[in-house]
Amino acid sequence: MSGNDVRNCLGVAGWVLAAGLLFPPLCSAQKAPYIPLISGGAGIFSSTNQGFTFVQPVAAPVLQFPIGPHVQVESRADLRGLIQQSGPNGSFEGSYTSTLEYLQADVIAGRHVTAVAGRFLTPFGVYNERLTAVWIRKLQDAPIIFGIGTRTSGSSDGVMLRGNILDTQHLRLNYITYFSARVKPGQFEAARVAGDRVDLFLPAAQLEIGTSYQRFLQGQPSNSIGFHVWWTPASSSFAVRSEYAHGAHAQGYWIESAYRLARFRGPESLVGRLEPVFRMQQSFRNSPGAGDALPSQDTQEADFGLDYHLPKEVRLNTSYARSFSKQSGNIWDISLTYRFIFPAWRGGR
Amino acid sequence: MRSCAKQLVVILALLVPVVDRAEQAPTAPKQAPQAKPKHQPTGGELVFQNNCNRCHNAPMELRPGITGTVLRHMRVRANLSARDERMLLEYLAP
């Protein structure tokens, strides 16, 4: 990482934090206490891919520290072990990795602007920001096109402005614009990129449509574009989420539907806790692109999942996926996750 | 005898329309079953439905002391307005 990039990032972060502390309140004063909290998820994930099995115990803590009515600092890490077989009949070996997914300062600067500085999840498409949390995603594996727009680490080090442009009874128009500096591999690894995302949400139809753009500014510059459509009808537990992305060397899409059977005797019943999930996805390789984290050849994959929502924020995820490419194979996943949330110190009501 | 028969025919002729009308008389309309009014969310529940439901369900137990902090995070993540945050706070921690 160049010295100028480091100085620029730290300088902007410092100014944003100072501005947030000195900024006069624009919105009405919040009476609720803002107690720092620790939340996140923990679980154990198992995957068998074409005969090879690996197990990952995971902890993903989230720390959140509000500072006054307009500023907060939040962070999420991924602490992950990997236990895998060395061969078809080999012994199991273990390793450990830790990743800082985000460490950011948020400053609510006005009705339509929130400034973010530090390390944040790259907001290309919606999967990275909304569905990567282990206690939220319905299928264990990320979509095969996840690498488009999220190089190199899925996180960006820089600044971001976000907010809503328009908020009426009939529509909400949100925007995000960001810049990231290049940081060498390590806990803060990130690529030099700039991009934006615009989302339109129609409350009457419960339909969200959005578009993402990113310019990759290091090495060989390239553009990535993406579109997403989400439909979550209010009258049922059914949801359809989809994304399309086009990168420098590949493109693809995924479409996922989920339906919790809460209509049958309620969400706490034996059947009501079940949630079938289905995802169809494809990737198309246009040209060689080593290191872009996408399949090297055209790939189709169908995922069939069945989640079970146990009490006390525990969830069991199971899925079977069939991958169709020159190396077709079966992928069996099973995971158990627990979501926790509690104040950082005693005394919170 | 002939006059009695004539009278009988007249009486019968008069009765036919009466009987016909009786058969065609509409029955009292059946009372339509009262439909349950569909619950329309408002306020914080509507904000939750429009924003939070898109990604996840609310935590089953959210202590009032930390609700404000949680909503601060969601305000940034979901681009909520101050009004949305206020309404959600009243809904999740009344």
Side-chain angles (χ1 to χ4, degrees):
Chain A
M1 177 183 183
S2 71
N4 279 339
D5 288 337
V6 173
R7 279 193 289 273
N8 290 339
C9 284
L10 291 176
V12 171
W15 278 111
V16 169
L17 194 58
L21 291 172
L22 297 172
F23 208 80
L26 291 181
C27 52
S28 61
Q30 269 298 350
K31 298 282 188 262
Y34 290 96
I35 299 171
L37 61 85
I38 301 172
S39 67
I44 188 154
F45 300 81
S46 166
S47 181
T48 300
N49 189 338
Q50 300 182 41
F52 288 91
T53 299
F54 60 90
V55 176
Q56 298 182 80
V58 177
V62 175
L63 306 179
Q64 192 181 348
F65 290 91
I67 305 171
H70 304 288
V71 180
Q72 73 172 0
V73 176
E74 53 181 342
S75 175
R76 189 174 89 195
D78 185 279
L79 314 173
R80 188 175 293 254
L82 176 62
I83 306 166
Q84 61 181 350
Q85 275 183 297
S86 56
N89 298 313
S91 59
F92 282 89
E93 299 169 345
S95 61
Y96 166 79
T97 55
S98 62
T99 307
L100 181 64
E101 296 186 320
Y102 62 83
L103 172 58
Q104 62 189 63
D106 309 321
V107 178
I108 301 172
R111 284 184 60 190
H112 303 287
V113 178
T114 297
V116 177
R119 184 173 177 80
F120 49 88
L121 295 172
T122 307
F124 182 88
V126 285
Y127 186 89
N128 193 24
E129 268 203 328
R130 299 183 188 176
L131 299 180
T132 48
V134 296
W135 62 91
I136 294 179
R137 60 171 81 179
K138 300 186 188 297
L139 292 169
Q140 184 176 317
D141 295 331
I144 53 180
I145 62 165
F146 178 69
I148 299 177
T150 57
R151 285 198 294 169
T152 53
S153 61
S155 299
S156 299
D157 297 337
V159 292
M160 171 169 60
L161 296 177
R162 59 192 298 151
N164 64 69
I165 301 170
L166 208 58
D167 183 7
T168 70
Q169 186 185 357
H170 304 288
L171 64 91
R172 291 177 60 101
L173 188 62
N174 295 329
Y175 75 95
I176 298 174
T177 183
Y178 62 96
F179 169 79
S180 170
R182 178 180 182 177
V183 180
K184 288 180 182 174
Q187 281 297 340
F188 293 92
E189 181 181 4
R192 183 196 292 266
V193 297
D196 62 71
R197 192 179 87 202
V198 177
D199 312 322
L200 173 67
F201 178 67
L202 305 172
Q206 292 288 303
L207 182 69
E208 178 182 341
I209 305 166
T211 177
S212 304
Y213 167 77
Q214 187 189 87
R215 177 74 176 170
F216 193 75
L217 297 170
Q218 71 183 52
Q220 196 171 9
S222 61
N223 297 318
S224 297
I225 59 169
F227 301 98
H228 68 271
V229 177
W230 280 30
W231 182 47
T232 51
S235 56
S236 77
S237 307
F238 182 69
V240 178
R241 301 178 175 95
S242 64
E243 276 191 55
Y244 165 82
H246 189 293
H249 304 287
Q251 60 183 327
Y253 73 90
W254 60 268
I255 177 166
E256 178 183 297
S257 62
Y259 183 54
R260 181 160 176 182
L261 305 179
R263 278 185 178 268
F264 302 93
R265 302 179 184 272
E268 310 298 325
S269 68
L270 202 64
V271 175
R273 296 183 183 275
L274 279 168
E275 185 174 20
V277 184
F278 172 72
R279 182 167 71 194
M280 183 66 211
Q281 50 184 333
Q282 282 186 281
S283 70
F284 306 94
R285 172 64 65 177
N286 302 326
S287 56
D292 63 0
L294 279 96
S296 58
Q297 51 205 339
D298 295 353
T299 300
Q300 276 182 320
E301 185 173 307
D303 300 71
F304 303 88
L306 189 62
D307 297 346
Y308 196 79
H309 297 260
L310 293 158
K312 304 296 182 187
E313 301 294 332
V314 178
R315 191 176 62 181
L316 179 66
N317 289 21
T318 63
S319 68
Y320 163 75
R322 177 71 184 178
S323 176
F324 301 94
S325 63
K326 285 187 180 173
Q327 294 177 337
S328 296
N330 301 315
I331 306 169
W332 298 89
D333 291 339
I334 183 166
S335 61
L336 188 68
T337 57
Y338 168 62
R339 179 194 178 172
F340 55 88
I341 180 168
F342 49 87
W345 58 69
R346 291 172 62 95
R349 286 191 294 114
Chain B
M1 188 70 177
R2 198 174 285 176
S3 62
C4 288
K6 277 187 185 173
Q7 286 173 10
L8 189 61
V9 169
V10 168
I11 291 169
L12 284 174
L14 287 172
L15 280 176
V16 167
V18 173
V19 171
D20 190 46
R21 276 200 213 102
E23 285 181 349
Q24 288 182 0
T27 53
K30 284 185 187 171
Q31 203 165 12
Q34 280 189 351
K36 264 187 181 175
K38 193 176 175 183
H39 171 66
Q40 294 288 348
T42 56
E45 188 181 0
L46 182 63
V47 174
F48 188 92
Q49 174 184 290
N50 286 343
N51 296 283
C52 313
N53 256 353
R54 277 188 267 167
C55 298
H56 61 89
N57 298 323
M60 292 183 184
E61 295 172 8
L62 197 58
R63 300 178 202 185
I66 60 172
T67 305
T69 306
V70 171
L71 290 177
R72 174 73 62 79
H73 165 79
M74 293 315 306
R75 181 174 174 182
V76 173
R77 189 68 73 202
N79 294 323
L80 300 178
S81 64
R83 184 194 64 181
D84 289 341
E85 186 182 8
R86 202 164 45 246
M87 292 167 76
L88 277 172
L89 189 62
E90 291 168 3
Y91 171 60
L92 294 173

